[in-house]
Amino acid sequence: MTNLQTYQTEIEGDIQRFKTAVRFAQGSEEEIAEAVDRAWAVLNDRASEVRSKYAAFREETIAGARKQAALNPVSYEPWDRSTAKNNAHDVIVDLIAANDATEQNAVLKKLEDTLRYFSDGQKRAFRPQLIAINGLLIDKAASKASLKAVINEIKNVAKPYDDALAEAEALPTVIGEEYDTLKAEREAE
């Protein structure tokens, strides 16, 4: 059971205890009203307490997920670095040999296509090579779109922590809808 379910179950249990207290309240109308008021006060306090604990849990969950997403721990192995460097050396040689921006753009397009087959680790290991590649471009303005396509492909890696962050942010902000319904009914009386 997740913490969301735990907190939700806690509120539902408190609501059932309130309903049971209302159902079994005995005595005069005044005594019954006092018993219901006491049961409501207990429910109100408990719901506020549980909601407060849930809000803290939600914020901690989101903060933890944000931290993990920010760190983005995509690791790479030595052979990933080797693959990245070998490919980068080939690209650098081709860029140096190119006569103009059009030929360099063709080299960058080929690199973009090659990067599609790289693992996430290889893409991560290739990132430092971009500085050298950018430095060799004859006409940076003419090659900007091609270089951006390469960068976008390098950034195209699995981000499991981003998915966890999206899940954490999707947690409901408030729990205990049945409590809200009871509260609205009580206030309408």
Side-chain angles (χ1 to χ4, degrees):
M1 186 180 304
T2 67
N3 282 335
L4 169 62
Q5 292 169 325
T6 301
Y7 291 121
Q8 187 67 33
T9 301
E10 218 174 305
I11 287 181
E12 289 169 2
D14 293 331
I15 290 170
Q16 290 309 314
R17 282 186 282 285
F18 168 75
K19 288 180 177 180
T20 300
V22 169
R23 194 173 325 123
F24 291 109
Q26 295 179 342
S28 67
E29 280 187 38
E30 207 173 271
E31 292 170 334
I32 291 172
E34 285 178 18
V36 168
D37 286 345
R38 281 192 307 273
W40 177 256
V42 169
L43 173 60
N44 201 26
D45 289 345
R46 286 285 303 139
S48 293
E49 179 184 328
V50 172
R51 282 181 166 182
S52 177
K53 284 195 264 182
Y54 171 73
F57 154 76
R58 183 178 184 274
E59 288 305 312
E60 286 174 21
T61 302
I62 291 171
R66 277 194 183 126
K67 180 179 178 183
Q68 288 296 329
L71 296 175
N72 193 19
V74 175
S75 59
Y76 52 89
E77 302 296 332
W79 55 84
D80 292 334
R81 185 178 296 125
S82 174
T83 301
K85 279 189 174 186
N86 289 338
N87 277 278
H89 290 274
D90 292 344
V91 170
I92 288 170
V93 168
D94 290 345
L95 286 174
I96 292 170
N99 293 321
D100 58 19
T102 304
E103 287 182 22
Q104 285 188 333
N105 286 342
V107 171
L108 292 175
K109 176 63 178 148
K110 182 180 172 188
L111 173 59
E112 177 192 356
D113 293 340
T114 301
L115 288 170
R116 287 192 178 110
Y117 299 106
F118 275 31
S119 69
D120 290 348
Q122 290 167 333
K123 287 180 182 181
R124 189 71 155 181
F126 194 89
R127 287 179 177 194
Q129 307 302 323
L130 287 175
I131 297 168
I133 290 170
N134 185 50
L136 293 172
L137 298 177
I138 294 169
D139 185 353
K140 290 189 186 343
S143 298
K144 185 171 184 161
S146 297
L147 185 60
K148 185 161 178 63
V150 168
I151 291 169
N152 287 338
E153 188 55 44
I154 287 175
K155 291 170 69 177
N156 183 18
V157 294
K159 298 178 181 175
Y161 294 105
D162 287 355
D163 295 342
L165 175 58
E167 281 182 33
E169 289 175 338
L171 286 170
T173 53
V174 178
I175 59 170
E177 293 80 14
E178 187 178 358
Y179 167 76
D180 290 332
T181 303
L182 282 173
K183 187 174 183 178
E185 289 170 0
R186 188 157 168 81
E187 290 171 356
E189 291 176 353

